Amino acid sequence: MSSGETIGYRGPTACAAAGITYRQLDYWARTGLVEPSVRPAYGSGTQRLYGARDVVVLKIVKRLLDTGVSLQSIRTAVRHLSASSSSDLQQMTLICDGATVYECTSPDELVELLSGGQGIFGISVGAVWRDVQGALTQLHGERVDTGETLLGDSQSDELAARRRGRAG
């Protein structure tokens, strides 16, 4: 998954995979918190297309907001996530002390944060990545080059079952 992705996901699909509402998605896009990397909206009637990486970031933003992290810290975390390579993201753990979001790449960094005696929580970006990938395989995607709708596994299985039912 990169900025040159060939599959994009419309807003409702991105919402379903990230566990957010369409209102949140729209607000975050309009305020620049998480913008679609595949195709932004160009006015009335155009559809934003989000990449799988965008959906991972959306899900992380949701988790951070749910735990009370400040919007300023979340914006900083989003910039960091956006600047990181896909392979770095899959190995990354975000740790938050309630005010600041840190990237931990080693157990020593985690121990250092814990030694301050403050409560922290962590988000394994790799686990979120795998969770989003699993969700997206079940949902509709869209080929960026042709606009062709790609059915997720559950939709194609349902269609195949209907066809078998009619044939039998």
Side-chain angles (χ1 to χ4, degrees):
M1 295 186 295
S2 67
S3 59
E5 293 183 76
T6 58
I7 299 175
Y9 302 93
R10 291 181 182 224
T13 300
C15 290
I20 61 173
T21 66
Y22 192 82
R23 182 180 234 171
Q24 287 173 305
L25 179 76
D26 185 54
Y27 180 73
W28 295 348
R30 286 186 292 108
T31 59
L33 180 60
V34 182
E35 297 176 277
S37 65
V38 176
R39 184 176 68 211
Y42 293 109
S44 180
T46 61
Q47 294 274 329
R48 295 180 190 114
L49 280 183
Y50 291 84
R53 180 186 179 117
D54 300 333
V55 180
V56 170
V57 173
L58 290 167
K59 190 167 188 126
I60 290 170
V61 167
K62 166 89 165 100
R63 288 189 178 175
L64 292 171
L65 282 171
D66 287 349
T67 56
V69 176
S70 74
L71 193 54
Q72 181 179 355
S73 292
I74 291 173
R75 283 189 183 282
T76 301
V78 167
R79 282 192 298 274
H80 181 71
L81 291 168
S82 298
S84 300
S85 71
S86 295
S87 60
D88 287 345
L89 286 178
Q90 293 180 43
Q91 304 301 317
M92 187 183 296
T93 300
L94 295 178
I95 302 294
C96 183
D97 61 7
T100 307
V101 180
Y102 306 93
E103 174 191 354
C104 284
T105 55
S106 74
D108 293 338
E109 290 174 331
L110 181 59
V111 169
E112 186 177 320
L113 280 172
L114 285 169
S115 68
Q118 188 168 346
I120 62 171
F121 70 90
I123 298 173
S124 167
V125 178
V128 173
W129 188 285
R130 289 184 297 278
D131 184 45
V132 165
Q133 285 289 66
L136 289 176
T137 62
Q138 303 296 313
L139 301 167
H140 294 295
E142 183 177 312
R143 283 185 53 115
V144 175
D145 53 352
T146 64
E148 172 189 2
T149 298
L150 304 172
L151 298 178
D153 291 342
S154 65
Q155 284 85 3
S156 61
D157 292 344
E158 181 182 326
L159 291 174
R162 286 184 190 173
R163 286 186 196 119
R164 285 192 302 272
R166 283 188 220 148

